Amino acid sequence: MLYHLLYPLHTEFSALYVFRFITFRTIYATITALLISFLLGPWLIATLQKLQIGQTIRKVGPESHFTKEGTPTMGGALILLAIILPTLLWADLSNLYIWVTLLVTAGYGAIGFVDDYLKVVKKNSDGISARQKMFWQILIALVAALILYRSSGFDTRLSLPFFKNVHPDLGPFYIPFAVLVMVGASNAVNLTDGLDGLAIGPIITASGTFLLLAYLAGNVKLSSYLQISSIQGAGELAVLCGAMVGAGLGFLWFNSYPAQVFMGDVGSLSLGGALGSIAVITKNEVVLVIVGGVFVVEALSVIVQVVSFRYWGKRVFRMAPIHHHFELKGWPEPKIIVRFWIISIILALIGLSTLKLR
Ligand code: 57M
């Protein structure tokens, strides 16, 4: 909004020319998101506590979690606000990619909100059924994928790190592929969100990485120098990624061990969906598997555990997702969290290195 209001005035006030720069608007979107989180965080936590919107802890889980009973949840609503508002303020709102990403983020947030609301407020322990959740996730991703597919100049060729000359053209199959990436990312982040700060840490590193990747993809000179897909308009997503970094850091302030608030499905589903859609738009779906490796491993640990238990009656991990395995091995919660963060930073660096390894 500010871009549309203030940039045109640069002919009279030359200082306003700065609003043209994505870098400037990205920095201020990050700061705005941080301010929103810091200003509203304490109020939100107090309100959630007053309304008794607290987490119920399942008794089958690690004992260390029993003390977390009643911790306010649905803090993801604040994350959403701290992403959407700064994006509306600082991004170029004529950019299609911004709206597609906001559609997936807010849409998945709405699914998560209804699920949390049913579980926590209405005390319906199952929330929305897994099947219904999947239906709405696929539907929203499908709408987003169709909009992208029909947009002018959308490239249906897959971009692969390490193989600069291999670009398999998926044609219309790009649509189900994009849906898979968005739905998969959303559910993987949801599974990861089981220890204080465990999901939001890697979300911050992944958003920061995609901030850079989006900026580079949108810059004609830099993308051609790096031999990556050049996507006109993708650079604007750096502003949204900046807001994600700010919102993530602001939330971590309150979610760090011992957490004062959990994000709930409203946070985890929407953040995963946001990352998935940004990866699709910037043609970094495979890079997302590396950068979001923590989420991938968490999801794989569940698949391996379920398959092995169902077919061989044996558990591979003491408990899945894998963070529970380490908890049951006796690792203190903060140690698991920080080690997973360290791994996510290493993976982000490897993901960035693929820019040169093509
Ligand atoms: C959500 N939710 C957390 C919080 C958070 C198929 C199966 C593997 C599914 C999986 C599952 O349901 N995962 C999705 C995980 C829950 O957190 C809430 O949920 C939101 C995210 N959606 O924001 O509102 C608990 O996680 C802890 N937590 C923190 N700090 C945080 O910042 O400590 C969350 C955020 C919270 C809190 O304790 O209550 C969750 O874990 O439930 N199911 C599981 O993960 C279960 N695993 C399982 O059943 N494993 C079996 C299967 C795979 C065969 C096995 O290994 O044998 C475990 N979940 C729990 N207890 N709670 C089992 C033990």
Side-chain angles (χ1 to χ4, degrees):
M1 218 175 282
L2 291 177
Y3 169 75
H4 301 279
L5 286 174
L6 300 177
Y7 175 62
L9 301 179
H10 77 271
T11 43
E12 283 155 66
F13 307 99
S14 58
L16 295 179
Y17 191 75
V18 74
F19 277 86
R20 181 169 176 267
F21 298 114
I22 289 175
T23 41
F24 171 78
R25 289 184 284 114
T26 299
I27 291 170
Y28 279 89
T30 313
I31 294 174
T32 311
L34 270 169
L35 283 178
I36 292 175
S37 313
F38 288 151
L39 291 177
L40 295 185
W43 168 82
L44 179 85
I45 294 169
T47 309
L48 290 170
Q49 261 162 348
K50 208 164 25 174
L51 297 175
Q52 298 195 325
I53 301 191
Q55 186 74 44
T56 327
I57 307 291
R58 279 186 268 173
K59 295 291 172 265
V60 288
E63 265 176 47
S64 55
H65 284 248
F66 296 171
T67 52
K68 295 172 186 245
E69 179 85 36
T71 306
T73 186
M74 296 181 80
L78 178 65
I79 306 181
L80 269 184
L81 189 76
I83 293 175
I84 296 174
L85 264 187
T87 303
L88 294 178
L89 267 183
W90 295 99
D92 170 0
L93 299 181
S94 64
N95 184 293
L96 177 75
Y97 298 145
I98 289 286
W99 288 109
V100 171
T101 310
L102 286 182
L103 166 82
V104 178
T105 312
Y108 280 21
I111 303 172
F113 185 89
V114 175
D115 193 36
D116 288 336
Y117 184 82
L118 290 177
K119 276 194 224 154
V120 186
V121 183
K122 294 283 173 201
K123 309 286 180 214
N124 167 353
S125 61
D126 295 329
I128 317 180
S129 72
R131 199 178 269 210
Q132 269 180 319
K133 223 193 246 183
M134 186 60 83
F135 169 79
W136 289 108
Q137 281 183 316
I138 292 178
L139 187 72
I140 292 170
L142 192 62
V143 172
L146 280 170
I147 297 175
L148 291 173
Y149 183 72
R150 292 175 64 93
S151 64
S152 70
F154 187 74
D155 190 351
T156 52
R157 285 173 307 162
L158 202 58
S159 186
L160 298 172
F162 311 117
F163 303 99
K164 74 173 168 208
N165 295 321
V166 184
H167 293 286
D169 192 348
L170 299 187
F173 291 104
Y174 212 99
I175 298 171
F177 173 68
V179 170
L180 181 75
V181 173
M182 289 183 246
V183 174
S186 173
N187 289 313
V189 173
N190 188 32
L191 288 171
T192 308
D193 189 28
L195 297 180
D196 301 351
L198 187 71
I200 201 69
I203 284 284
I204 297 167
T205 42
S207 308
T209 310
F210 273 94
L211 186 162
L212 204 64
L213 293 174
Y215 183 78
L216 294 172
N219 187 298
V220 183
K221 277 191 198 151
L222 291 172
S223 55
S224 99
Y225 167 68
L226 291 165
Q227 298 184 321
I228 56 172
S229 306
S230 166
I231 301 145
Q232 203 193 345
E236 203 59 35
L237 284 177
V239 180
L240 195 149
C241 289
M244 281 178 74
V245 171
L249 286 170
F251 181 72
L252 181 58
W253 188 268
F254 305 105
N255 182 234
S256 53
Y257 182 85
Q260 294 159 269
V261 66
F262 298 155
M263 66 171 79
D265 281 18
V266 58
S268 57
L269 294 182
S270 56
L271 287 169
L275 274 186
S277 53
I278 295 166
V280 167
I281 295 170
T282 59
K283 302 240 150 276
N284 279 306
E285 299 91 345
V286 182
V287 176
L288 176 63
V289 176
I290 303 172
V291 173
V294 165
F295 306 126
V296 176
V297 169
E298 290 271 8
L300 282 180
S301 72
V302 171
I303 296 170
V304 168
Q305 182 90 326
V306 172
V307 170
S308 138
F309 194 70
R310 186 166 295 172
Y311 293 101
W312 297 285
K314 279 200 182 119
R315 283 189 166 81
V316 175
F317 304 102
R318 293 189 184 185
M319 189 183 278
I322 200 166
H323 53 262
H324 287 316
H325 174 79
F326 293 114
E327 275 192 296
L328 294 179
K329 272 184 81 170
W331 290 24
E333 183 173 343
K335 202 172 204 66
I336 306 172
I337 300 161
V338 175
R339 286 191 172 165
F340 275 46
W341 288 352
I342 295 171
I343 294 170
S344 81
I345 294 170
I346 297 171
L347 290 170
L349 292 173
I350 298 174
L352 284 176
S353 77
T354 63
L355 285 169
K356 275 290 174 194
L357 300 174
R358 281 177 201 246

